Amino acid sequence: GSSFKTHNTEDKENILPELSCDTKQVTEADMKQSIDYLMVTAEEPPVEYWKIVAEQRREALVNELVENERLYKKVEHLENRVDELDREKVYFEKMYFILRSQEDL
């Protein structure tokens, strides 16, 4: 692959928010801000960008799988209910014809 370049000429250490190793630890928010900066200024997105995209897609797929499972169960339940109602319908139609035939006598 090609080498990573930034549009500005600052040192790569200066990309991170101003941090003093003595007084502050690098937080997740600091890293996200740095990654966001790199994504905007880099000619090619850094590997971390693709990791973030992959993780977002993975999370979206997990959510979709959960939703699909929920919908599958709901459809299965509704199909069973339709079958049950069809059986009841047949039963009541038979009862109707029996009662109707007895009225004609």
Side-chain angles (χ1 to χ4, degrees):
S2 61
S3 63
F4 176 80
K5 300 174 189 172
T6 59
H7 288 288
N8 60 22
T9 57
E10 297 175 324
D11 269 348
K12 289 181 183 162
E13 287 92 37
N14 292 335
I15 291 171
L16 285 173
E18 290 182 22
L19 300 174
S20 152
C21 293
D22 307 339
T23 60
K24 185 178 178 185
Q25 294 202 357
V26 177
T27 65
E28 190 174 322
D30 293 331
M31 290 305 293
K32 180 165 177 14
Q33 181 181 2
S34 299
I35 292 165
D36 289 345
Y37 176 80
L38 285 172
M39 286 188 277
V40 171
T41 60
E43 288 179 20
E44 290 184 25
V47 171
E48 192 62 31
Y49 167 79
W50 297 113
K51 288 180 182 178
I52 291 168
V53 169
E55 179 61 18
Q56 289 171 342
R57 286 186 162 189
R58 187 195 66 77
E59 288 173 5
L61 285 172
V62 167
N63 292 338
E64 289 300 318
L65 285 172
V66 168
E67 178 67 6
N68 285 347
E69 181 68 22
R70 184 187 72 77
L71 292 172
Y72 174 81
K73 288 178 181 178
K74 186 171 188 169
V75 165
E76 185 176 45
H77 169 75
L78 292 172
E79 286 173 343
N80 289 336
R81 183 68 178 135
V82 166
D83 290 342
E84 187 180 307
L85 291 171
D86 281 342
R87 287 189 301 274
E88 287 181 17
K89 179 185 139 218
V90 168
Y91 171 79
F92 286 115
E93 285 175 343
K94 286 179 183 179
M95 294 303 292
Y96 171 78
F97 288 116
I98 290 171
L99 290 173
R100 181 89 178 188
S101 67
Q102 288 182 353
E103 282 181 3
D104 291 341
L105 292 176

